[in-house]
Amino acid sequence: MNATIYIGSGTCGLGAGAARTEAVIRRFVREHNLTVEIVPVGCVGLCSSEPIIDVKMVGKSRISFERVTEDNVIALLEPLLLHEQLPDSHILGQYRDRRCEHWVNVPYLDQHPFFARQKRIVLQNCGVINPEDIHDYFDKGGYKTLKKVLREKAPDEVCEIVLQSGLRGRGGGGFPTGAKWEMMLAKTDKEKYLVCNADEGDPGAFMDRAVIEGDPHRMLEGMAIAAFATGATKGFVYIRAEYPLATLRLAKAIVQAEAAGALGKNIFGTGFNFDIVIRKGAGAYVCGEETALMSSIEGLRGMPYPRPPFPVEKGIFGKPTVINNVETFANVPDILAHGAEWFSTIGTDKSKGTKVFALSGKVKYTGLVEIPMGTSVREIIYDIGGGTPNGKEFKAVQMGGPSGGCVNKENLDIQVDYDSLLSIGAMMGSGGMVVMDEDTCMVDIAKFFMSFITRESCGKCTPCREGTRQLLHMLEVITSLPCTDSEEEQVYRHSLLEKMERLCRVIKDASLCGLGAAAPNSALSTLRWFRQEYEEHITEFHCRAGVCPLDNKLPQVNNASDSSESPNEPSGNDSDTSE
Ligand SMILES: Cc1cc2nc3c(=O)[nH]c(=O)nc-3n(C[C@H](O)[C@H](O)[C@H](O)COP(=O)(O)O)c2cc1C
Ligand code: SF4
């Protein structure tokens, strides 16, 4: 074997044409009778540079190439594989590897601006190992921690370590994971369940999918440790059917882990049993909400129901159940391997560890970013993401999906942690981060999220079902409905913002589940930071981003006696100039 070629074969890589690139590579290898192994890997995080391929020649360090398409791959590989010469373009960087000779004049991948400020715990193996081969995970120390925990620790010790580490749920709510596990451990029921929430319904979020596609065993190892700590007897991974590649790799990983004795009966000969099964969801956003998710796993329609009782008291089929997010579980092996103190030194006072964000939208480098909590939004967008392209001006970043809010230019230095973001009406959510520039209309953005929420509301309670529709209607009036001369309509338009704010409060306070409680956030947040844009739409019929179909013409008040009077000015009767 004189080389190994790693092909970024996550959903992003395949979408960018990695399969076609791979076909050309295979043909080239065959034609030249080369001894080359071709290995699929997940996404290394830099989705905007896909297809990415890495080449590892014997004795030399692994080197990454970006945008390797079926058209340019031969020009890149020919000099390298046949003459050990580097091509002069498409090089992303080389991996550090003390055992190998490095390439001269090639920067290290960890010096690339996109990677330099990241701290990779959850993503450390993504894009590096073959997710379809458990031996690659073993080579990185995989399942060693589980083995050690099962042999050397008691369940309450594991809960205590996770509690002390300060790990909080990465699915959005930020509940302390160790505390949830302790509550479950205290339950004496014969059957207890563990659920991994891989529903990931937020538009703009793809972190959980990428973790499962790139390193499924990390999450499974985290689940097995959690099962031991809580006494769970069976595990479910709830994943949406729109994630076929992640589901396939997860299924393969479960089979391989069982065959290796890392899951199933008598794990690593310790007498501990734990099975994990996959449950596919149909892709309704509300099914990420934990009570709806549990109903869906039970085979019922995924509709939320009131809490308490919380899942840990009465969960799936009435049994105690712990639900955690993919990223939460993926942090667990490293916490147990390196200790609570190690983890709690990363991040801020109340938000420990790192957080993975899916950075997308109007930013130079899009992809997966894992940063220590406390990093500022500015650093993520400018230092890591490379800022807005084409000289356009940054306007806002939408965080936390439909339940989240916006960070505007003035707040760019806010640090990323659960509490700081909430203080400006945004939220970390599960980690979607969509960057917007001057070409984005913030009222239109609020309309987009409200339209999503309206479609995804399960309809069970009136404030959410009807309230979100009314909110959407108001946003439609502001952004698109043609303006008539009717005075009544104009009065209505001028009262809209106040009405919206009142309605938002009612929906927030009176909805049954988290979907409704967070539904008005996008409207509230854009109203808070971009009120001027709303007012321009309403009073000047002007959309500064040029997105909304407004004609920029002020309507005439339907008052025949004085057609020159602007509807925006007080009527003559109210004026005191005659006095
Ligand atoms: C409407 C709605 C959608 C949600 N979607 C997800 C999701 O896709 N993934 C997720 O982990 N949590 C989601 N959550 C939060 C979960 O209900 C739950 O709190 C979380 O999975 C707990 O895991 P954690 O403690 O590890 O964060 C959602 C909540 C709501 C209200
Ligand atoms: S708040 Fe919305 S999604 Fe939640 S139960 Fe009520 S109608 Fe359904």
Side-chain angles (χ1 to χ4, degrees):
M1 185 80 50
N2 56 18
T4 307
I5 299 182
Y6 300 88
I7 302 188
S9 307
T11 295
C12 50
L14 294 171
R20 291 192 298 275
T21 305
E22 181 178 342
V24 177
I25 295 174
R26 287 194 183 277
R27 201 166 55 231
F28 177 80
V29 166
R30 246 190 341 266
E31 282 167 7
H32 291 81
N33 209 13
L34 298 173
T35 332
V36 167
E37 190 188 4
I38 295 174
V39 176
V41 292
C43 175
V44 72
L46 193 47
C47 306
S48 51
S49 290
E50 296 278 9
I52 295 175
I53 68 161
D54 297 353
V55 179
K56 170 84 182 73
M57 319 269 294
V58 173
K60 303 281 282 186
S61 59
R62 178 166 162 175
I63 185 164
S64 260
F65 299 92
E66 60 178 338
R67 298 196 178 89
V68 187
T69 62
E70 56 189 323
D71 301 323
N72 60 26
V73 64
I74 297 299
L76 298 177
L77 285 188
E78 203 160 24
L80 191 60
L81 293 181
L82 302 185
H83 312 291
E84 253 197 53
Q85 275 173 10
L86 279 180
D88 48 18
S89 61
H90 296 264
I91 297 176
L92 255 181
Q94 61 181 321
Y95 283 75
R96 284 184 201 272
D97 190 341
R98 269 195 234 112
R99 298 159 305 175
C100 295
E101 187 190 340
H102 70 262
W103 294 93
V104 181
N105 291 332
V106 172
Y108 289 102
L109 206 53
D110 58 22
Q111 293 171 327
H112 188 289
F114 183 76
F115 295 107
R117 298 179 94 111
Q118 295 195 43
K119 177 162 184 65
R120 300 199 144 205
I121 299 172
V122 170
L123 298 180
Q124 61 187 285
N125 293 333
C126 286
V128 179
I129 65 166
N130 180 353
E132 299 188 13
D133 187 348
I134 195 170
H135 294 102
D136 271 26
Y137 188 61
F138 286 149
D139 289 347
K140 294 281 176 193
Y143 289 113
K144 259 194 200 150
T145 311
L146 172 64
K147 199 182 268 181
K148 210 164 173 319
V149 164
L150 295 182
R151 287 187 180 154
E152 295 173 15
K153 298 250 180 285
D156 59 339
E157 279 180 85
V158 181
C159 289
E160 183 60 22
I161 292 171
V162 174
L163 189 68
Q164 290 306 324
S165 75
L167 176 67
R168 292 169 66 176
R170 301 300 196 234
F175 191 81
T177 307
K180 208 191 265 189
W181 290 11
E182 277 181 345
M183 286 184 247
M184 172 95 146
L185 180 63
K187 297 280 162 194
T188 50
D189 302 54
K190 231 173 107 204
E191 280 169 67
K192 297 196 259 182
Y193 299 126
L194 190 68
V195 178
C196 176
N197 189 344
D199 191 57
E200 197 162 60
D202 296 13
F206 48 90
M207 310 77 49
D208 294 346
R209 186 195 71 204
V211 169
I212 299 177
E213 284 178 1
D215 191 12
H217 289 287
R218 168 171 300 278
M219 186 194 87
L220 293 177
E221 185 173 3
M223 282 183 79
I225 294 171
F228 174 71
T230 57
T233 47
K234 183 171 181 172
F236 298 91
V237 180
Y238 187 80
I239 186 166
R240 51 183 45 228
E242 288 104 323
Y243 282 1
L245 184 64
T247 310
L248 184 84
R249 290 194 174 152
L250 184 62
K252 277 189 185 176
I254 292 173
V255 169
Q256 291 182 8
E258 281 171 353
L263 282 181
K265 301 267 165 296
N266 191 19
I267 295 176
F268 296 130
T270 58
F272 176 64
N273 306 322
F274 183 59
D275 288 314
I276 297 179
V277 293
I278 297 175
R279 286 282 181 274
K280 280 197 240 173
Y285 177 55
V286 75
C287 283
E289 195 280 337
E290 52 193 26
T291 60
L293 183 154
M294 293 191 299
S295 296
S296 180
I297 287 183
E298 289 172 2
L300 305 170
R301 187 173 161 194
M303 274 179 131
Y305 52 84
R307 298 171 309 171
F310 289 95
V312 87
E313 285 143 15
K314 194 165 181 280
I316 295 172
F317 301 116
K319 307 290 178 203
T321 303
V322 153
I323 303 173
N324 279 129
N325 168 260
V326 172
E327 194 185 327
T328 311
F329 284 125
N331 270 295
V332 169
D334 273 59
I335 292 175
L336 270 298
H338 305 297
E341 208 186 314
W342 164 79
F343 191 78
S344 66
T345 53
I346 307 165
T348 65
D349 238 20
K350 291 188 182 149
S351 302
K352 304 294 185 189
T354 59
K355 176 78 192 93
V356 181
F357 286 97
L359 186 61
S360 64
K362 305 288 182 59
V363 68
K364 186 174 171 195
Y365 301 121
T366 58
L368 293 170
V369 172
E370 183 172 357
I371 41 97
M373 298 272 193
T375 305
S376 73
V377 175
R378 186 189 297 279
E379 283 174 273
I380 300 177
I381 293 170
Y382 286 94
D383 300 340
I384 298 175
T388 46
N390 310 323
K392 296 276 180 178
E393 203 185 323
F394 168 86
K395 188 183 268 187
V397 54
Q398 210 284 343
M399 296 182 70
S403 314
C406 293
V407 176
N408 63 345
K409 208 162 142 183
E410 286 67 33
N411 283 316
L412 264 175
D413 289 309
I414 192 110
Q415 64 179 28
V416 169
D417 64 55
Y418 293 98
D419 310 300
S420 305
L421 287 171
L422 280 179
S423 75
I424 58 157
M427 68 189 278
M428 194 148 67
S430 57
M433 227 177 170
V434 185
V435 180
M436 295 171 278
D437 67 12
E438 60 194 276
D439 291 339
T440 312
C441 166
M442 298 312 290
V443 192
D444 186 58
I445 284 294
K447 187 171 74 174
F448 168 81
F449 282 114
M450 201 46 65
S451 149
F452 177 84
I453 288 281
T454 308
R455 276 179 277 123
E456 296 292 329
S457 164
C458 81
K460 189 168 180 170
C461 59
T462 318
C464 171
R465 183 186 64 238
E466 300 303 328
T468 53
R469 267 185 216 164
Q470 281 307 313
L471 261 183
L472 177 62
H473 174 69
M474 290 170 176
L475 289 162
E476 274 165 351
V477 169
I478 296 172
T479 52
S480 52
L481 288 191
C483 184
T484 68
D485 290 353
S486 149
E487 201 169 345
E488 204 181 43
E489 185 194 311
Q490 286 170 44
V491 170
Y492 174 69
R493 289 176 75 92
H494 281 80
S495 66
L496 268 174
L497 298 190
E498 199 204 319
K499 281 198 166 82
M500 270 176 66
E501 279 166 332
R502 254 188 291 147
L503 182 55
C504 286
R505 279 198 296 275
V506 173
I507 299 172
K508 248 180 166 344
D509 294 345
S511 290
L512 169 63
C513 85
L515 187 147
N521 285 357
S522 54
L524 282 173
S525 163
T526 47
L527 262 171
R528 180 167 172 189
W529 301 115
F530 298 94
R531 200 176 186 93
Q532 180 76 30
E533 283 195 36
Y534 277 89
E535 280 165 359
E536 283 164 7
H537 281 69
I538 289 172
T539 60
E540 295 165 35
F541 297 90
H542 173 60
C543 170
R544 61 168 86 171
V547 172
C548 301
L550 300 171
D551 58 10
N552 213 3
K553 273 192 249 136
L554 298 183
Q556 302 295 301
V557 176
N558 193 12
N559 179 349
S561 63
D562 185 5
S563 58
S564 64
E565 190 176 73
S566 160
N568 302 318
E569 287 167 8
S571 77
N573 291 344
D574 295 327
S575 163
D576 62 357
T577 50
S578 59
E579 283 183 18

